[in-house]
Amino acid sequence: MDFCQKSGNVRRWVLFYSLLELLLINEASLQETAEGFIGGSAVLPCSSEEHQLKLQDITVQWRHNKLSVYYIREGKDSVDAQNPAYKSRTETFPEEYLNGNFSLKLYNLQHTDAGKYICFITQDSVLKSVQNVELLIKERQKMHHPKNANEGSNHKPEMIVMIISTLINGIIFYLS
């Protein structure tokens, strides 16, 4: 009975520390915002605070609405499990992995790309960081084209040409 009581206490402590770690990870998770335009691109930031990274021990997973967007395993990109909606529209920066930068660039933005992205960084099968990025998608504002080409200008092109011609004739007359 004494053994059962001790093992129950051990389980409670393990549970307590596991919950504490989960709370700390959630507390440490970042909330960032990225913006992009329809048809354009946006970089979603994700980085590790660890400075002694061994890429063979690192796994990074990007998710959006429970869909797999991008996967980095042992320092190598993997698009095998990537949702088809992101095929040929994603890129990371492998030269930055050793610096802890696992940011994701998403191309050809669509309305459906808007929302919350989550970047999970795992080292040696231990969750090290969870980062949230809210992607805002905007429409490009259409440029205002006046109906009349001269609209918005106080001077008509003919008037400007006449003034320049008069100045040039005056300079030529003065110099001769």
Side-chain angles (χ1 to χ4, degrees), residues 2-20:
D2 194 32
F3 173 75
C4 291
Q5 190 175 14
K6 285 182 183 178
S7 66
N9 287 337
V10 170
R11 280 191 217 129
R12 280 190 212 112
W13 279 109
V14 168
L15 181 60
F16 171 77
Y17 281 112
S18 298
L19 288 173
L20 183 62

Side-chain angles (χ1 to χ4, degrees), residues 8 18 25-26 36 53 56 67 69 77 80 84 90 101 105 115 117-119 124 127 134 136 146 153 156 162 170:
S18 298
I25 287 173
N26 283 337
L53 292 178
Q56 66 270 18
L67 302 176
V69 178
D77 300 340
D80 296 339
T90 55
N101 182 355
K105 188 168 188 178
Y117 287 75
I118 304 173
C119 173
D124 292 324
L127 185 61
E134 185 74 25
L136 305 175
S153 171
K156 295 184 176 180
M162 189 174 80

